[in-house]
């Protein structure tokens, strides 16, 4: 099995180095453990729910007469980028920090 790992932004094929063998990914990939899909869903929900609740509260008086689809459009135009670019990355970083701290405590006890 052979995979290619980009060394930089490839301008041509010369910037891609072939890597093969069973440990090809283990050698070059950092030891970052992504949370499970269930944990990522919970973290995303923790980001989205308060943003939607706050956004609805702020927009309600301004958009009373608007069609519900237009209200949803305006709300999601604000909430989705805020969640994706600001809130979810901070929550994932906090989760990762918590898991690393727990792992250090577990190895210290062992």
């Amino acid at each position: 099995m052979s995979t290619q790992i980009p060394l930089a932004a490839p301008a041509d094929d010369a910037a891609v180095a072939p890597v093969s063998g069973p440990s090809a990914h283990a050698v070059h990939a950092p030891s970052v453990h992504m949370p499970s899909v269930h944990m990522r869903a919970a973290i995303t929900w923790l980001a989205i729910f308060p943003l939607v609740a706050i956004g609805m509260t702020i927009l309600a008086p301004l958009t009373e007469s608007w069609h519900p689809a237009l209200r949803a459009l305006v709300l999601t135009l604000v909430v989705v980028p805020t969640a994706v670019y600001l809130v979810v990355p901070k929550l994932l970083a906090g989760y990762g920090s918590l898991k690393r701290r727990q792992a250090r405590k577990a190895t210290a006890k062992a």
Side-chain angles (χ1 to χ4, degrees):
M1 180 172 105
S2 176
T3 58
Q4 294 185 345
I5 298 175
L7 300 175
D12 58 12
D13 288 338
V16 178
V19 178
S20 63
S23 63
H25 294 290
V27 173
H28 296 286
S31 61
V32 175
H33 299 285
M34 285 295 291
S36 71
V37 68
H38 306 295
M39 185 54 65
R40 289 192 315 262
I43 288 170
T44 302
W45 183 85
L46 284 172
I48 296 289
F49 177 75
L51 291 173
V52 168
I54 292 167
M56 287 175 62
T57 303
I58 292 170
L59 286 177
L62 305 171
T63 62
E64 244 176 61
S65 62
W66 294 12
H67 189 278
L70 183 58
R71 276 185 274 170
L73 173 70
V74 170
L75 183 62
T76 58
L77 281 173
V78 175
V79 167
V80 171
T82 303
V84 168
Y85 294 115
L86 298 175
V87 181
V88 171
K90 288 190 184 292
L91 289 174
L92 284 171
Y95 176 79
S97 176
L98 178 67
K99 293 306 274 185
R100 283 189 301 276
R101 196 171 320 142
Q102 287 175 344
R104 278 196 302 267
K105 284 183 182 180
T107 56
K109 288 181 181 179

